Amino acid sequence: MKVQTLSLAFASVLLLQAAPVAASGDTLLVERVQAEPAFTLPTRGTTMAQVEARFGAPARKHAPVAGPNSTRFNPPITRWDYADFSVYFEHSHVVDAVLRKASPEEVGPRPVQ
């Protein structure tokens, strides 16, 4: 009798695990970016002047930060913050542009302080 009860309990546990569960979770930043292909960001190689002409003046311009030693191997990186995205420049050319989070609950990169 014990064996049959344990078998039934084990079978019910397996069935519960196999049952489809409604997925509810956080929207990842990557998913939002993939879902919004219409949003245009500055492309790699664009100059600072071209970015400012197309997107306007940034909300904040951060001072350039360079690594130790030679700027040849550690070039200065500048960041411009706009309302929806940030642009990173190496010298005066775009190396990357990233979207900001849509809400504080969105899972994504931790902001730099």
Side-chain angles (χ1 to χ4, degrees):
M1 190 68 163
K2 271 186 174 178
V3 173
Q4 187 178 17
T5 306
L6 287 174
S7 297
L8 287 173
F10 184 69
S12 62
V13 169
L14 288 176
L15 287 173
L16 287 175
Q17 288 179 347
V21 178
S24 64
D26 299 325
T27 301
L28 294 175
L29 181 61
V30 172
E31 292 170 353
R32 182 171 60 88
V33 171
Q34 291 171 348
E36 299 176 6
F39 194 84
T40 58
L41 293 172
T43 57
R44 187 178 181 98
T46 308
T47 66
M48 287 180 168
Q50 292 170 326
V51 170
E52 197 159 8
R54 180 166 181 199
F55 297 97
R60 183 170 180 199
K61 290 182 179 181
H62 297 268
V65 177
N69 305 326
S70 169
T71 58
R72 178 176 175 218
F73 299 108
N74 300 299
I77 303 295
T78 305
R79 185 177 93 208
W80 287 3
D81 292 330
Y82 287 87
D84 297 323
F85 60 93
S86 293
V87 184
Y88 295 87
F89 299 91
E90 183 177 295
H91 295 289
S92 64
H93 291 85
V94 173
V95 290
D96 202 3
V98 294
L99 287 173
R100 293 187 175 276
K101 291 183 180 183
S103 69
E105 294 82 32
E106 185 172 55
V107 177
R110 187 179 326 170
V112 177
Q113 304 263 337

